[in-house]
Amino acid sequence: MFKIQTLNAISPIIHESLSAENYVISANEPTPDGILVRSAAMHDLELPESLLAIARAGAGVNNIPIDKCSEAGIVVFNTPGANANAVAELVMAGLLMASRDLAGGIAWTRTIKDEPNVEKLVEKGKGQFVGPELRGKKLAVIGLGAIGALVANAAAQGFGMNVIGYDPYISVAHAWALSRAIHRADSMEDALKDADYITVHIPLMASTKGMINDAFIKALKPGARILNFSRGELADADAIKANLENGQLAAYVTDFPTANLIDVPKVVCLPHLGASTPESEERCAEMAAAEIRDYLERGIIRNSVNMPEITLGMPEGSRVLLIHKNVPGIVSNITNLISGRGINIQNMLNKSKGDMAVTVLELSQQPDETLLAALDKLNNVVRARYIPA
């Protein structure tokens, strides 16, 4: 029986993957095997020794102490793509808001509620909110992952925009998902050149923090409009404000409000609504629960941010999974220890990701507690566990 702790309210759909006969699910479980989390901050939480995995029902994992988890042999999962449709739909709304100043128009209309001759005031005042149509305009999509691909396709096929995409790391699956109408840029400069609208869909990393800076904006045609539905830290707020004031930018729409941008003219700040749909929350919860189940029950690792992908079929013997540092000699130390006990290794898989690696062994017989303890104590082994068939 596995024990799962929930740190946030999670859709009950998780029970379809985590059945009552195999799982105890509680918000107050003191010794969980797995944790399901959405937005709860975990950096200051003590991680129990029993904890094997954390699944974040969402894409971002900045609320989880990744390095600390890796050092403890805890696999951290996220749910990429589960909220993609929800975010992509909001980006399409963002294109309209960037173009037609819908937010400004709505706010102004409310100010004339008690005025006489509202209809005449509307006709007189609407000119201040005039904006261009999207059809035929050039949209640069930076990042063609699950969200970026959906946005690119919808803009080209639904709005009739001329879409150019840039992603040097695009996967085969996401490339196949793109419409033939999407043009491919060979460089960031190629994508940004003459773009009327720019939407950014890339992860926040040290190399991308503040990438929407003065140089980025100056590379655009005057009057361009930028959408940021990825992470607020991708943009330099001071550069955004300065280029809105001098006319280089016509609008900035973001789902990540900051105090220094909320009341800036031509900025539309949404309250991080991207994944806030019941459908998205359900898909994220369903995916997170399945990832936890597959890892706890079979050792399968999918969509981990700190461990390599491990694809496994049904066990061919007694399955042992080891999480260890990615250093020379460690695999031979593991196999020597096992063969020294007279146990045959029927199959083995070893994969690495950065500084961490995972080795899965199918043994001819079930390891006893003594062998597991010895494996766990090997230098550079972080965690060893037996996975019953």
Side-chain angles (χ1 to χ4, degrees):
M1 184 72 75
F2 293 108
K3 295 175 287 186
I4 305 295
Q5 182 182 17
T6 56
L7 297 185
N8 299 100
I10 303 287
S11 168
I13 200 171
I14 62 174
H15 298 290
E16 294 183 10
S17 295
L18 308 175
S19 63
E21 57 184 320
N22 293 322
Y23 293 87
V24 174
I25 302 174
S26 169
N28 302 309
E29 175 56 52
T31 58
D33 300 291
I35 286 178
L36 287 170
V37 61
R38 289 174 58 203
S39 58
M42 297 187 63
H43 287 275
D44 295 328
L45 294 182
E46 183 176 347
L47 302 176
E49 292 185 10
S50 62
L51 187 60
L52 300 173
I54 298 170
R56 157 85 162 98
V61 290
N62 56 316
N63 59 321
I64 300 171
I66 305 299
D67 291 343
K68 186 177 176 182
C69 289
S70 297
E71 292 169 3
I74 298 167
V75 183
V76 180
F77 300 95
N78 67 346
T79 57
N83 62 9
N85 187 71
V87 177
E89 287 186 358
L90 194 64
V91 173
M92 302 314 292
L95 282 169
L96 293 168
M97 288 187 285
S99 218
R100 306 289 292 273
D101 193 12
L102 302 180
I106 292 168
W108 176 80
T109 301
R110 287 176 175 164
T111 68
I112 63 171
K113 177 181 182 298
D114 298 321
E115 297 291 332
N117 300 317
V118 167
E119 292 81 0
K120 290 184 178 180
L121 287 174
V122 165
E123 292 303 315
K124 184 177 180 179
K126 68 182 182 181
Q128 61 191 302
F129 308 108
V130 170
E133 296 180 13
L134 298 175
R135 182 170 295 276
K137 303 301 189 301
K138 180 179 176 181
L139 169 66
V141 181
I142 310 301
L144 294 166
I147 297 170
L150 286 174
V151 169
N153 288 344
Q157 297 171 343
F159 285 166
M161 301 186 78
N162 176 20
V163 180
I164 184 165
Y166 174 68
D167 189 337
Y169 307 109
I170 187 171
S171 69
V172 173
H174 290 142
W176 275 105
L178 285 174
S179 164
R180 293 177 63 183
I182 311 304
H183 306 285
R184 181 179 65 86
D186 294 322
S187 66
M188 180 80 78
E189 292 75 17
D190 185 28
L192 298 181
K193 183 180 178 182
D194 297 325
D196 300 289
Y197 301 81
I198 302 90
T199 181
V200 179
H201 301 284
I202 59 175
L204 176 64
M205 302 180 292
S207 60
T208 60
K209 185 176 182 179
M211 65 165 283
I212 306 175
N213 54 22
D214 193 65
F216 181 101
I217 298 169
K218 289 293 193 293
L220 305 175
K221 66 189 292 186
R225 294 164 164 84
I226 294 178
L227 289 81
N228 176 11
F229 285 77
S230 293
R231 280 291 179 266
E233 294 90 339
L234 293 174
D236 179 336
D238 290 335
I240 294 292
K241 289 194 292 185
N243 284 281
L244 286 169
E245 290 174 1
N246 65 30
Q248 177 66 15
L249 278 185
Y252 177 68
V253 182
T254 183
D255 204 22
F256 302 93
T258 56
N260 55 353
L261 284 178
I262 285 175
D263 59 351
V264 174
K266 302 177 185 178
V267 171
V268 177
C269 288
L270 302 176
H272 199 188
L273 296 176
S276 298
T277 68
E279 296 89 349
S280 172
E281 291 182 10
E282 190 169 272
R283 285 192 297 267
C284 287
E286 182 179 30
M287 190 171 176
E291 291 165 347
I292 284 272
R293 176 203 62 204
D294 290 346
Y295 178 65
L296 294 181
E297 294 184 13
R298 295 172 61 187
I300 295 170
I301 300 177
R302 291 179 293 111
N303 301 318
S304 172
V305 299
N306 66 334
M307 300 293 167
E309 295 277 310
I310 300 292
T311 302
L312 301 168
M314 296 302 294
E316 299 177 16
S318 294
R319 181 170 289 173
V320 174
L321 183 146
L322 298 100
I323 295 175
H324 54 83
K325 299 293 181 62
N326 184 21
V327 295
I330 182 65
V331 174
S332 61
N333 291 342
I334 292 169
T335 57
N336 289 340
L337 178 58
I338 293 171
S339 60
R341 302 294 179 96
I343 298 175
N344 185 46
I345 298 174
Q346 297 175 317
N347 205 348
M348 182 176 73
L349 174 67
N350 171 262
K351 295 186 73 175
S352 63
K353 184 173 186 175
D355 295 333
M356 302 303 299
V358 175
T359 297
V360 181
L361 304 160
E362 309 278 359
L363 307 182
S364 60
Q365 66 186 66
Q366 180 176 332
D368 57 24
E369 291 300 324
T370 304
L371 175 55
L372 286 174
L375 288 169
D376 201 51
K377 290 179 181 177
L378 278 176
N379 191 31
N380 292 312
V381 169
V382 180
R383 186 188 291 268
R385 58 182 287 244
Y386 167 62
I387 303 173

